[in-house]
Amino acid sequence: MKTTILGCGAWGTGIASVLQKNCSEVCFWTPQKEEFDYFATHRGSSKIPGCVLQKNVSVTMDIREAVEKSSLIVICIPVPFIRSVCIQNASIFHTTPILSASKGIEENTGLFVTQVLESVLPTCPPLAALSGPNFAKEIAEFMPSSTSIACDPSLQDLLKKNFNTECFSILFTNDIIGVQVAGALKNVFAILSGIATELGYGFSSIACLLTQGIQEMALFAEQKGGNPLTLLDFSGVGDLILTCLGSLSRNHTFGTYLGKGFSVESALEKVGTVEGVLTTLSISQSLSFKDMPVTQAAYRILYDHTNPKAELQALLSRELD
């Protein structure tokens, strides 16, 4: 059984560390020569130093070679690049099921990853979405973890065969929108949590912030056609807790730099990819945004360059409805 992973960064490597247990072959695709070369030398990613993958894991820069004869394709590339990758390679995606492990909302369209795939692939294969409290480094170190996968019941057996291990378990749901809402929005609140942590706010304040955040997740999910109850599982509360309180979170770390007084641009240079920045912009373009004061505060900090401390103080002291 061959499985393909599009993307050879930290998250793709974490996914591969699970798949290598069950699959006879795992094939990465990366368009980046430096990632290809690093894997050839170290059998892993520079984003997770010390992680050495098994011999049944390979890498190629030829996406057709990566996808050929695969039983499952897992997408682990940043959301802004998914549309162009799929358009350029639409002819090679036929009936092979695709699992999105990328978290975010496409700018301007407001589409989730599975909706982007549906809009650009001429013959869209069966789709699924994964989100849960899973740090790539910890997954690669085989620390016990669980995640949520949204899919049609017909895909569950295939996904179990790929992902279920003694250290990684799956909770299935059919709410593909709810899982993707949770995976995207928690990054926004993680930025604010990082700011609050750096500014010295206590656990009580951060808990209040995150409670309001999950209420906004539920509102957004419902307005997008998802089930708010999905947010009670690993993709919602689980991922929110991890990303907003865990020091390995890029979004949380980015927020701590903003709390130190770094500009958005300089903080991004320090951290790299921060999904919550573009997700905040995408949400601001939605009808739900007017009813999301926590996300509005994040937007003002990121795009209007307002004072983070003043924004958090106003947010945490506002009169609640």
Side-chain angles (χ1 to χ4, degrees), residues 169-184:
S169 57
I170 307 300
L171 176 67
F172 285 105
T173 173
N174 62 1
D175 185 11
I176 200 162
I177 295 297
V179 164
Q180 291 178 101
V181 166

Side-chain angles (χ1 to χ4, degrees), residues 185-224:
L185 268 66
K186 53 90 180 182
N187 289 322
V188 177
F189 308 131
I191 294 172
L192 293 175
S193 176
I195 294 172
T197 299
E198 182 60 33
L199 292 176
Y201 283 87
F203 293 118
S204 300
S205 300
I206 295 172
C208 292
L209 175 68
L210 300 188
T211 301
Q212 294 178 56
I214 201 165
Q215 290 172 345
E216 292 189 10
M217 288 170 69
L219 169 70
F220 195 75
E222 189 169 29
Q223 292 187 352
K224 289 292 185 179

Side-chain angles (χ1 to χ4, degrees), residues 293-304:
V294 181
T295 308
Q296 289 171 12
Y299 179 88
R300 288 191 294 269
I301 292 169
L302 296 173
Y303 293 99
D304 295 336

Side-chain angles (χ1 to χ4, degrees), residues 48-317:
I48 310 182
C51 173
V52 179
L53 296 169
Q54 296 175 181
K55 292 182 179 180
N56 61 333
V57 183
S58 61
V59 65
T60 179
M61 295 182 66
D62 182 341
I63 193 169
R64 185 176 295 275
E65 177 187 345
V67 169
E68 187 178 20
K69 297 181 181 179
S70 182
S71 62
L72 176 68
I73 299 168
V74 182
I75 295 182
C76 293
I77 56 180
V79 171
F81 302 107
I82 291 174
R83 178 178 292 271
S84 60
V85 167
C86 289
I87 289 175
Q88 292 167 15
N89 300 283
S91 64
I92 69 173
F93 297 109
H94 301 296
T95 59
T96 305
I98 299 176
L99 169 68
S100 169
S102 300
K103 301 173 182 179
I105 303 171
E106 189 177 49
E107 186 182 353
N108 297 323
T109 67
L111 298 178
F112 298 106
V113 174
T114 58
Q115 295 172 324
V116 173
L117 298 175
E118 289 171 340
S119 71
V120 300
L121 297 180
T123 304
C124 192
L127 302 176
L130 178 153
S131 183
N134 315 128
F135 278 148
K137 181 177 183 294
E138 294 180 348
I139 300 303
E141 293 172 350
F142 309 116
M143 294 186 184
S145 185
S146 300
T147 202
S148 294
I149 293 181
C151 65
D152 185 270
S154 62
L155 285 183
Q156 289 185 11
D157 284 345
L158 172 66
L159 293 168
K160 283 179 184 177
K161 289 176 182 176
N162 274 269
F163 282 96
N164 264 348
T165 73
E166 68 277 7
C167 295
F168 200 78
S169 57
I170 307 300
L171 176 67
F172 285 105
T173 173
N174 62 1
D175 185 11
I176 200 162
I177 295 297
V179 164
Q180 291 178 101
V181 166
L185 268 66
K186 53 90 180 182
N187 289 322
V188 177
F189 308 131
I191 294 172
L192 293 175
S193 176
I195 294 172
T197 299
E198 182 60 33
L199 292 176
Y201 283 87
F203 293 118
S204 300
S205 300
I206 295 172
C208 292
L209 175 68
L210 300 188
T211 301
Q212 294 178 56
I214 201 165
Q215 290 172 345
E216 292 189 10
M217 288 170 69
L219 169 70
F220 195 75
E222 189 169 29
Q223 292 187 352
K224 289 292 185 179
N227 183 353
L229 292 178
T230 300
L231 304 180
L232 298 178
D233 68 21
F234 296 121
S235 66
V237 173
D239 208 358
L240 184 75
I241 292 171
L242 180 80
T243 311
C244 293
L245 302 181
S247 60
L248 293 176
S249 163
R250 289 192 305 271
N251 291 274
H252 185 275
T253 300
F254 171 77
T256 65
Y257 279 113
L258 297 182
K260 293 178 191 290
F262 283 71
S263 68
V264 172
E265 293 74 18
S266 58
L268 285 171
E269 288 178 4
K270 288 281 188 180
V271 180
T273 301
V274 179
E275 299 92 337
V277 174
L278 284 179
T279 298
T280 301
L281 180 61
S282 296
I283 297 171
S284 75
Q285 298 163 348
S286 73
L287 295 175
S288 306
F289 184 61
K290 62 182 175 58
D291 299 316
M292 302 173 71
V294 181
T295 308
Q296 289 171 12
Y299 179 88
R300 288 191 294 269
I301 292 169
L302 296 173
Y303 293 99
D304 295 336
H305 307 293
T306 56
N307 182 277
K309 185 172 184 179
E311 288 289 353
L312 280 181
Q313 187 61 38
L315 187 62
L316 291 169
S317 62

